[in-house]
Amino acid sequence: MIRLKTNLPGFFNELCEVVRLFLGPVEIGEAGEGEDGAEGDALVVHTHAEAGGVWTERVTGFGREQALTEPAGGEGLERKRRLKRAVKTAAFLLMREVTGVNPPWGSLTGIRPTRILYELMGEGLSMDQARDAMEKRFFVHPEKASLLCDIAVMQRGLIDVSPREYDVYVGIPFCVTRCAYCSFSSGELGDGRLVEPYIDALIREMDALGPWLADQGLTPRAFYMGGGTPTSLTAAQLRRVLMKARELFPQAREWTVEAGRPDTIDREKLQALKDAGVGRISVNPQTFSDRTLQVIGRAHTAAQTLEGYALAREMGFGDINMDLIAALPGEGGEDFLRSLETCVDLCPESITVHTLAIKRSSRLHEQGYAQPGTDAAARMVGAARARLRDAGYGPYYLYRQKYMAGNLENVGYARPGFACLYNIDNMEETTRVLAFGAGAITKWLFDRERRIERAPNVRNIEQYTARVDEMIERKKALIGGE
Ligand code: SF4
């Protein structure tokens, strides 16, 4: 156990994040005044001082000390942001010295590193200068800083969204079985008795809010149905939800449905998607190794992925994404690259390369599965980037999660013209999101200062179904100031 003490308690969590960046998901407790923890506990102490217009952040622990000085200043949120960075940097320098580890994303612990690049460019830096600043101020490795720049180039022209536009998200929180790495709140379909009431509630939510927003002159931009596994619904159920969405949000110019689990795809369901005007789908192999698929609890084979993909192509789907995961249990670099090569041969319009993240609520975590070393995972994602670039794919969005193998990232690659608007909007938070379904979170941007407020729906499926009117009112209260 680690005990942590700071005289800026508002930054306790940020300090924990930095320590865990180096030590993984260790237990960290708050040490009070004069309290140094039990014998055997490590103690990390941060102190902030301000004198003569200078902040000094001093962090001690594990027999070492680091002190960082910064010109004091800024007001309100800007001051808090600068102070947070100074505190995190001091802790980062200490932990780097203690462990000898140099994490790929440096001192950044958030899920959206592109936001930092855009912030730096917003301060008037050119892209090259911003890349340098990522390396010098945040200790980001040069290849990661250049990855962010490549993404910013791919996003040009796609992130300038009108403030009158919003995206629509519909969540289907059902899956046929639960993957071993999953931490989502999806329910297994079971006997399916929850599904029809759930769809009734979804449609009630959409009916209440779609016309209401149209009356306010707001226009849908992208539609995204995710989950869970949307295609675990029957064809008739899918048709019902999607036709309603088409009727209510006809102006949306991108329509995506995650058809993630290949064993849930058939001709009838794909036809329902086509009839509703869905242009983009995901058919997710994760790996083309049947042995690994069994280990991770995906109840399908690699052959089913190929069949599902071929069927979608035969039926005319011209924008297909495939997800792969690097560092899956038992897989080395060669296994991963074999799957990547199979994917590239299929020529989908986009390929998303995830790095395995073992969340605490996943079965892999319960089973005590140990992540592969940083180097192994880093080599896999590095090789993927090079291979995909050669095959004509560019990185267009990126996000990070806690507990990812090697502290790496997930990257969406697309062929020119096939970057998914919704994925960019969602990650860059440049667009409002109207979200329907259990656990779905409506995010509303209110002004140019990028103030974002959220209205989350309850996660439990039965609760959501019973309390849908409350979810509608919650959203109306959030958006009502329009
Ligand atoms: S398909 Fe996705 S949501 Fe469903 S169990 Fe697997 S990881 Fe979780």
Side-chain angles (χ1 to χ4, degrees):
M1 168 127 172
I2 290 174
R3 313 287 296 180
L4 200 149
K5 190 154 64 175
T6 170
N7 63 349
L8 292 180
F11 294 122
F12 180 83
N13 289 338
E14 282 77 6
L15 284 160
C16 291
E17 281 172 10
V18 176
V19 172
R20 291 196 179 109
L21 191 58
F22 291 87
L23 303 182
V26 288
E27 205 183 327
I28 303 179
E30 200 164 354
E33 206 44 53
E35 186 192 331
D36 290 346
E39 202 178 331
D41 285 356
L43 180 70
V44 175
V45 179
H46 160 252
T47 48
H48 164 82
E50 181 171 346
V54 173
W55 290 331
T56 302
E57 308 308 322
R58 192 175 304 279
V59 186
T60 59
F62 306 97
R64 308 285 174 100
E65 175 175 304
Q66 279 284 349
L68 179 91
T69 54
E70 275 278 312
E75 298 278 324
L77 275 180
E78 172 58 15
R79 177 186 158 86
K80 189 175 172 197
R81 191 175 61 89
R82 291 192 53 225
L83 197 47
K84 180 168 88 176
R85 285 195 183 155
V87 171
K88 284 179 73 174
T89 303
F92 173 85
L93 292 172
L94 177 89
M95 293 307 296
R96 188 175 69 168
E97 189 188 340
V98 167
T99 60
V101 172
N102 213 351
W105 288 98
S107 60
L108 300 182
T109 53
I111 63 172
R112 297 179 168 85
T114 36
R115 292 277 296 270
I116 309 287
L117 183 83
Y118 283 128
E119 262 177 47
L120 292 165
M121 289 164 66
E123 289 170 12
L125 301 186
S126 67
M127 192 178 284
D128 284 345
Q129 290 168 329
R131 177 177 37 217
D132 278 357
M134 297 289 298
E135 294 173 28
K136 293 196 177 100
R137 288 191 214 169
F138 301 101
F139 313 96
V140 172
H141 288 201
E143 74 274 13
K144 298 300 177 198
S146 87
L147 172 60
L148 293 185
C149 292
D150 290 351
I151 289 169
V153 169
M154 283 283 282
Q155 291 184 348
R156 271 185 194 146
L158 300 176
I159 55 168
D160 304 318
V161 182
S162 155
R164 307 304 293 169
E165 287 187 304
Y166 65 94
D167 290 340
V168 179
Y169 176 83
V170 172
I172 304 294
F174 300 102
C175 286
V176 276
T177 56
R178 191 172 166 87
C179 305
Y181 50 81
C182 184
S183 65
F184 295 141
S185 58
S186 310
E188 284 184 23
L189 263 180
D191 61 7
R193 83 192 149 77
L194 297 179
V195 178
E196 285 296 340
Y198 183 79
I199 291 175
D200 291 343
L202 260 185
I203 286 179
R204 189 173 173 87
E205 240 198 321
M206 289 197 282
D207 262 333
L209 289 151
W212 186 72
L213 284 181
D215 286 348
Q216 301 189 42
L218 299 178
T219 314
R221 164 176 152 97
F223 172 92
Y224 194 100
M225 184 190 260
T229 307
T231 41
S232 60
L233 302 185
T234 65
Q237 290 164 341
L238 276 171
R239 190 176 288 279
R240 193 172 157 223
V241 179
L242 288 168
M243 286 303 187
K244 173 54 77 175
R246 256 289 153 191
E247 173 197 323
L248 294 171
F249 309 106
Q251 304 96 329
R253 55 182 187 269
E254 176 185 273
W255 287 75
T256 300
V257 171
E258 287 180 1
R261 298 270 285 248
D263 48 335
T264 62
I265 302 174
D266 61 28
R267 187 176 289 276
E268 217 188 334
K269 293 184 194 182
L270 289 178
Q271 193 59 52
L273 267 52
K274 271 211 93 76
D275 292 347
V278 171
R280 184 175 183 275
I281 60 170
S282 282
V283 178
N284 296 333
Q286 313 300 17
T287 169
F288 282 94
S289 156
D290 284 341
R291 183 174 42 86
T292 311
L293 285 169
Q294 268 193 356
V295 172
I296 62 174
R298 305 266 299 183
H300 63 86
T301 59
Q304 280 176 299
T305 307
L306 297 173
E307 283 159 21
Y309 182 83
L311 179 63
R313 282 295 193 219
E314 182 204 315
M315 293 180 67
F317 282 92
D319 189 353
I320 303 181
N321 172 73
M322 296 190 116
D323 278 5
L324 286 176
I325 303 178
L328 282 171
E331 290 209 343
E334 281 184 15
D335 303 289
F336 171 70
L337 290 178
R338 212 173 299 124
S339 290
L340 180 72
E341 217 45 57
T342 307
C343 240
V344 168
D345 283 348
L346 291 169
C347 274
E349 282 62 35
S350 55
I351 297 177
T352 308
V353 179
H354 295 259
T355 309
L356 184 64
I358 303 197
K359 303 277 187 60
R360 286 171 190 220
S361 51
S362 69
R363 214 163 63 230
L364 282 181
H365 183 261
E366 284 162 21
Q367 291 165 350
Y369 169 70
Q371 302 265 26
T374 302
D375 290 351
R379 274 196 299 275
M380 290 184 212
V381 300
R385 187 177 169 202
R387 178 66 186 100
L388 289 170
R389 184 179 49 220
D390 289 349
Y393 294 85
Y396 77 95
Y397 85 108
L398 176 151
Y399 67 101
R400 302 181 62 221
Q401 291 168 286
K402 283 187 178 157
Y403 314 127
M404 298 188 87
N407 270 316
L408 292 159
E409 66 277 334
N410 300 325
V411 182
Y413 294 87
R415 293 185 1 219
F418 289 99
C420 169
L421 290 182
Y422 178 82
N423 284 336
I424 294 175
D425 293 349
N426 190 31
M427 276 310 130
E428 303 310 333
E429 294 189 319
T430 45
T431 310
R432 299 155 158 187
V433 181
L434 179 67
F436 302 109
I441 301 174
T442 294
K443 288 195 275 186
W444 220 244
L445 275 71
F446 279 93
D447 47 39
R448 291 284 170 192
E449 283 89 58
R450 297 168 62 110
R451 181 169 61 91
I452 299 174
E453 292 195 18
R454 292 171 167 77
N457 281 355
V458 287
R459 282 177 172 272
N460 178 282
I461 294 168
E462 283 161 303
Q463 284 285 319
Y464 164 75
T465 304
R467 293 165 53 192
V468 64
D469 288 340
E470 188 188 322
M471 304 302 111
I472 293 167
E473 291 314 313
R474 202 180 270 187
K475 277 193 260 293
K476 283 189 173 175
L478 173 78
I479 301 166
E482 273 295 321

